[in-house]
């Protein structure tokens, strides 16, 4: 089937690429069908593109590859809704926000992971209650000048976990 997108033009996708979100995604409840696209040159970063709204595409990452120690306990009710029988069927992703004027300030929403049953291609964004995470975890380290100083001239320590080099390649892709 052909899907019109705002970022990538018209794409030909197979029906088995579509992931159904029976309740939509918070903020896009009326959109129920999405598919994933790789970000060229960035193995661990993808787009979650809406099938029925060309302008809606979320930049997503595997949080386990970016945040050491990240954990996500999917509530039994959600696992039941998604018909997840084994943990290997669950794909956990998080949405990334990239400020258009400062891609280096990109953040990931770790408190509301997107859970996908890879066997049934069924997904849902889950807001974790009692989670130590927030909606804005820095994706990149503080950018230092060659002298090891930040933009204000102060010597700074890394602001977050060290992302793989591939993450830095997508920072120029613009906002989500």
């Amino acid at each position: 089937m052909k899907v019109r997108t705002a970022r990538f033009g018209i794409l030909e996708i197979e029906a088995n690429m579509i992931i159904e979100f029976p309740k939509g995604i918070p903020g896009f409840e009326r959109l129920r069908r999405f598919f994933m696209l790789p970000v060229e040159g960035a193995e661990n970063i993808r787009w979650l593109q809406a099938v029925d709204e060309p302008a809606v595409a979320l930049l997503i990452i595997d949080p386990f590859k970016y945040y050491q120690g990240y954990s996500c306990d999917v509530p039994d009710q959600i696992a039941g809704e998604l018909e997840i029988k084994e943990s290997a069927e669950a794909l956990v992703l998080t949405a990334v926000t990239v400020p258009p004027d400062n891609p280096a300030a990109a953040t990931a929403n770790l408190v509301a992971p997107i859970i996908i049953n890879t066997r049934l291609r069924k997904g849902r964004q889950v807001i974790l209650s009692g989670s130590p995470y927030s909606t804005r975890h820095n994706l990149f380290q503080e950018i230092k000048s060659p002298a090891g100083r930040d933009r204000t001239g102060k010597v700074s320590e890394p602001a977050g976990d060290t992302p793989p080099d591939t993450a830095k390649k997508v920072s120029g892709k613009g906002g989500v």
Side-chain angles (χ1 to χ4, degrees), residues 1 9 18 22 28 55 63 66 68 77-78 83 89 92 94 104 108 127 136 138 148 154 174:
M1 75 185 291
I18 296 174
F28 305 103
Y66 289 86
Q68 188 174 18
Q77 175 195 350
I78 304 299
E83 301 177 63
E89 294 177 341
V92 178
T94 57
I127 299 171
R136 296 185 182 270
N138 290 335
K154 296 178 183 174

Side-chain angles (χ1 to χ4, degrees), residues 19-65:
I19 303 163
E20 298 287 337
F21 286 78
K23 296 184 178 183
I25 292 176
F28 305 103
E29 289 82 1
R30 65 181 176 76
L31 300 175
R32 307 292 168 95
R33 302 183 309 156
F34 291 81
F35 62 98
M36 289 191 278
L37 289 169
V39 171
E40 190 173 321
E43 180 181 330
N44 298 315
I45 303 173
R46 299 177 232 175
W47 288 101
L48 186 62
Q49 172 69 53
V51 172
D52 302 307
E53 176 52 58
V56 175
L58 305 172
L59 197 58
I60 55 175
I61 61 168
D62 176 341
F64 302 105
K65 296 192 186 233

Side-chain angles (χ1 to χ4, degrees), residues 8-173:
F8 315 106
I10 297 174
L11 300 174
E12 181 76 34
I13 66 165
E14 300 293 326
N16 64 4
M17 293 173 66
I18 296 174
I19 303 163
E20 298 287 337
F21 286 78
K23 296 184 178 183
I25 292 176
F28 305 103
E29 289 82 1
R30 65 181 176 76
L31 300 175
R32 307 292 168 95
R33 302 183 309 156
F34 291 81
F35 62 98
M36 289 191 278
L37 289 169
V39 171
E40 190 173 321
E43 180 181 330
N44 298 315
I45 303 173
R46 299 177 232 175
W47 288 101
L48 186 62
Q49 172 69 53
V51 172
D52 302 307
E53 176 52 58
V56 175
L58 305 172
L59 197 58
I60 55 175
I61 61 168
D62 176 341
F64 302 105
K65 296 192 186 233
Y66 289 86
Y67 299 95
Q68 188 174 18
Y70 178 72
S71 65
C72 172
D73 188 18
V74 178
D76 290 343
Q77 175 195 350
I78 304 299
E81 282 179 28
L82 295 175
E83 301 177 63
I84 295 172
K85 295 179 181 172
E86 300 176 19
S87 62
E89 294 177 341
L91 175 63
V92 178
L93 302 166
T94 57
V96 173
T97 300
V98 182
D101 59 338
N102 187 9
T107 58
N109 180 348
L110 298 183
V111 75
I114 296 168
I115 312 296
I116 297 172
N117 179 328
T118 57
R119 178 177 50 89
L120 299 176
R121 305 200 62 79
K122 190 175 179 182
R124 181 164 172 191
Q125 187 171 22
V126 179
I127 299 171
L128 301 174
S129 62
S131 168
Y133 304 111
S134 73
T135 59
R136 296 185 182 270
H137 289 266
N138 290 335
L139 191 58
F140 303 109
Q141 290 182 342
E142 184 77 27
I143 296 174
K144 295 179 181 179
S145 70
R149 298 184 182 277
D150 68 17
R151 287 169 275 189
T152 64
K154 296 178 183 174
V155 176
S156 61
E157 295 296 321
D161 298 320
T162 305
D165 288 340
T166 54
K168 295 175 182 172
K169 294 177 183 173
V170 78
S171 65
K173 293 285 185 180

